[in-house]
Structures are given as C-alpha cells and as structure tokens.
Amino acid sequence: VNAIDLLTRQHREVDQLFADIEKADEDQQIVLAESLAELLTVHTTIEERIFYPSVKNEQTMELLQDSVQEHLEAKRAAERLLELEPEEGQFMRIFKELKKGVEDHVGEEENDLFPLVRQFCDLERLEDLGRQMETLAAQVLEEKDPAGRIPFETDTPAPL
Ligand SMILES: [Fe+2]
Ligand SMILES: [Fe+2]
C-alpha cells in the first residue's frame, strides 16, 4: 500500500462521516461522532508517529509544523464534541468548527504536502511507509477505546 494512497483513502472516509453526521438525527450523531473520533485518532496517530517524521526535511518542515498544530486543534474540538449531547445545541457549532479545520488541513496535505513528498520519496519508500502505517493503524483499532487517548493529546502538538 502506497502511504499517500492510504492517507488519501482515510481522508475520503472522514469526508463521508462528516456528510453522514450532517444528515443524521440527534441520537445517530452521538454514535457517528464516536466513529469520527476513532478515525481521526487512527489517522493522526499514523501521520504523527510514522508519516510526518519520515518525510521531514527542509522543504516540508514548515508544512509539518502547521500540520501538527492543526491536528492539535482538531483533537481539542473532537474532545469537546465527545463531551456534548447534540440537544445541548452546541454540537452543530463545534462540529462545524471541527469539519472546517479538518477540511482545510486535508486540503493542505493533498495540495501542498503530498506533491512535495512525491518529489523525493520513491514508490518503494512510500510502500514501505504504507505497510508500517497499516500495522500501526490496526494496533490502534485493537485498543479498547481508541478515541480515549484524545484528551491526553490536547496540551501540545505532537513532536516531529
Ligand atoms: Fe494530517
Ligand atoms: Fe491526513
């Protein structure tokens, strides 16, 4: 699996969940928000632990620093979302904030970071990273409560 293809596929899964949550009734929203938090946890974990450190160089450093900051903001919004019940009326406000932040971040990765990475990572390297990320993603999903780590990751951005 090519690392960039794997990450891009997860981006589309996130897009789909955002769309599903917007259409869902209030009870479903709580369930789907939990799935969203899990997917965001898996995705940010494999990017922060494997992809970002592996593609770090002078060209990408600034984009990566922005990225871990944007991940931090998404985790903070996700944490607040999980604490809320939709009927509190805050759910949609925080959901929209989370969605906007994540969509902007995903756009930067796909339009700026990934094309840059393709310039210096050959296919063999991308496939090696993809395999490592698939293994870590499976490990995170096997945890009892994958999204439970979010509140512990909201103080500082992940190290690069
Ligand atoms: Fe990211
Ligand atoms: Fe991403």
Side-chain angles (χ1 to χ4, degrees), residues 46 50 54 125 127-137:
I46 65 176
I50 297 173
S54 303
R125 177 79 177 129
E127 286 181 346
D128 176 46
L129 289 175
R131 274 190 295 273
Q132 291 178 43
M133 290 197 295
E134 271 194 323
T135 303
L136 180 57

Side-chain angles (χ1 to χ4, degrees), residues 15-55:
D15 289 343
Q16 184 60 52
L17 263 176
F18 281 146
D20 291 345
I21 290 173
E22 279 180 327
K23 282 181 288 181
D25 64 33
E26 291 181 346
D27 289 337
Q28 279 181 300
Q29 280 178 336
I30 301 177
V31 178
L32 291 172
E34 189 65 43
S35 306
L36 177 67
E38 275 187 22
L39 184 51
L40 290 177
T41 302
V42 170
H43 188 75
T44 55
T45 301
I46 65 176
E47 285 188 339
E48 290 170 359
R49 299 237 192 113
I50 297 173
F51 189 71
Y52 291 172
S54 303
V55 301

Side-chain angles (χ1 to χ4, degrees), residues 31-135:
V31 178
L32 291 172
E34 189 65 43
S35 306
L36 177 67
E38 275 187 22
L39 184 51
L40 290 177
T41 302
V42 170
H43 188 75
T44 55
T45 301
I46 65 176
E47 285 188 339
E48 290 170 359
R49 299 237 192 113
I50 297 173
F51 189 71
Y52 291 172
S54 303
V55 301
K56 184 175 71 174
N57 63 23
E58 262 178 31
Q59 279 179 292
T60 56
M61 197 53 179
E62 212 181 307
L63 282 170
L64 295 177
Q65 280 166 345
D66 289 347
S67 287
V68 288
Q69 185 61 40
E70 287 156 5
H71 281 194
L72 179 65
E73 281 153 25
K75 288 171 195 175
R76 286 174 176 163
E79 182 188 24
R80 281 188 291 146
L81 199 68
L82 291 177
E83 287 167 355
L84 294 169
E85 305 286 315
E87 47 276 10
E88 283 179 66
Q90 295 291 309
F91 185 91
M92 262 304 158
R93 189 180 62 76
I94 295 169
F95 171 75
K96 286 198 171 114
E97 184 188 315
L98 174 66
K99 178 170 177 271
K100 168 92 172 69
V102 169
E103 283 174 349
D104 290 349
H105 170 67
V106 163
E108 282 167 27
E109 286 187 338
E110 294 186 8
N111 298 320
D112 304 324
L113 180 64
F114 294 170
L116 213 52
V117 168
R118 280 201 180 88
Q119 288 176 17
F120 61 83
C121 267
D122 61 17
L123 197 58
E124 200 181 334
R125 177 79 177 129
L126 287 175
E127 286 181 346
D128 176 46
L129 289 175
R131 274 190 295 273
Q132 291 178 43
M133 290 197 295
E134 271 194 323
T135 303

